[in-house]
Amino acid sequence: MNATGVRMMTRSRSRGPGAGPRGRREKAAALQRGEAAAEGRKSHSPARRQRKTQKLNVAYEASDHQEGEDTRSLTAPSWEPRDWQQQLLNIRIMRSGKDAPVDWLGAEHCYDSSAPPKVRRYQVLLSLMLSSQTKDQVTAGAMQRLRARGLTVDSILQTDDSTLGTLIYPVGFWRNKVKYIKQTSAILQQRYGGDIPASVAELVALPGVGPKMAHLAMAVAWGTVSGIAVDTHVHRIANRLGWTRTATKSPEKTRAALEEWLPRELWSEINGLLVGFGQQTCLPVHPRCQGCLNRTLCPAARGL
């Protein structure tokens, strides 16, 4: 073999398997296989990222809770009646004289202020029980007669039904009230040591005690605002003024409707304010709309 042949053979071996057109095709195919494998590896990467997302779940939930708090603080205020603040201001002006029967004959004026605290609270509750469906003047007269005999739990339990009926007559439904007063007094002696309960739930569980009486008892006897005390006056006036989203059929439904929007700091004021207003101006029959400062703001006065 000559030198030329040796050089050709050497050059041919030095190219190796990747040399020449066939080698280039194989190399391209291998490259494609490598890219496909890389793509395959990429196709599995979302699973790893998904696992990372799951690990961040707790942190996301915590921030979501804080977002909720921020959202609540920015929530638009709930429904409230149109012009209610001006209506309330006008009623305060009309009631500034504090000369309605409720202002000097209400439950907070019927007890013996010199009696022990437990007796005072009992007398407050009793005056509220008597006041149902009864004018303040009649309730106050009955309380005076009872107090003249020493009004305590023990004295009531020692009084026979006939005498008790004579003392409280002519309050509304006086016969039923004799029974309720006796039953409630016995419960107070047995379960509360002669005192009255300090919660609305326990108060309304007593015979003859309704929600309005319970809320007033909490306010007058215990100094606690537990809710709005709604009687027939408050029920009537709230509906006339449009202070309920829809017309309500009972004092309890009116109470719930008012408590949905009326600021809590006004709850203790509303009962006395509206009761006196109902006794003097916004009467059940033939209300005195012409002399009312709310005559242009009141839907009832406008005939709407």
Side-chain angles (χ1 to χ4, degrees), residues 46-257:
R48 288 196 295 272
R49 285 199 295 271
Q50 181 64 30
R51 285 195 296 272
K52 289 181 181 178
T53 302
Q54 292 172 353
K55 290 178 182 177
L56 293 173
N57 233 4
V58 174
Y60 174 76
E61 288 172 359
S63 65
D64 185 59
H65 177 69
Q66 291 172 355
E67 258 183 57
E69 288 181 348
D70 293 339
T71 301
R72 283 192 298 272
S73 66
L74 295 174
T75 301
S78 60
W79 176 89
E80 61 181 33
R82 180 181 178 182
D83 299 323
W84 73 269
Q85 291 175 313
Q86 186 60 51
Q87 291 170 336
L88 179 62
L89 178 61
N90 289 340
I91 294 173
R92 284 174 176 158
I93 294 171
M94 290 183 282
R95 290 278 288 114
S96 60
K98 298 290 183 183
D99 52 0
V102 70
D103 296 316
W104 46 282
L105 296 173
E108 62 271 30
H109 304 289
C110 287
Y111 64 86
D112 181 2
S113 58
S114 63
K118 186 188 298 187
V119 175
R120 291 202 302 266
R121 288 190 286 268
Y122 174 68
Q123 292 182 1
V124 167
L125 181 61
L126 216 64
S127 71
L128 290 168
M129 293 176 70
L130 293 172
S131 70
S132 175
Q133 302 295 310
T134 305
K135 292 184 179 296
D136 288 332
Q137 297 90 325
V138 177
T139 301
M143 284 297 294
Q144 285 178 349
R145 292 189 293 273
L146 289 170
R147 284 171 51 191
R149 295 170 59 94
L151 182 52
T152 64
V153 169
D154 291 335
S155 70
I156 288 296
L157 291 176
Q158 292 167 10
T159 303
D160 61 83
D161 291 2
S162 177
T163 302
L164 182 56
T166 301
L167 290 170
I168 68 172
Y169 181 85
V171 299
F173 304 100
W174 64 272
R175 289 186 179 86
N176 288 336
K177 289 177 182 178
V178 167
K179 178 178 63 176
Y180 294 147
I181 288 171
K182 281 295 194 70
Q183 292 174 344
T184 290
S185 298
I187 293 171
L188 297 182
Q189 186 184 63
Q190 294 165 7
R191 300 181 188 175
Y192 300 97
D195 208 341
I196 71 171
S199 73
V200 171
E202 291 175 291
L203 284 165
V204 296
L206 297 171
V209 178
K212 180 209 77 171
M213 302 176 205
H215 288 300
L216 281 176
M218 290 297 295
V220 179
W222 292 110
T224 300
V225 178
S226 56
I228 299 174
V230 178
D231 66 352
T232 56
H233 292 292
V234 179
H235 170 63
R236 178 181 71 255
I237 294 168
N239 276 274
R240 284 180 176 175
L241 289 174
W243 282 11
T244 59
R245 191 191 297 260
T246 58
T248 54
K249 301 299 183 182
S250 70
E252 260 304 274
K253 291 187 181 299
T254 300
R255 179 188 64 80

Side-chain angles (χ1 to χ4, degrees), residues 28-41:
L31 180 60
Q32 289 175 354
R33 287 194 297 273
E35 289 174 351
E39 287 298 322
R41 287 192 297 273

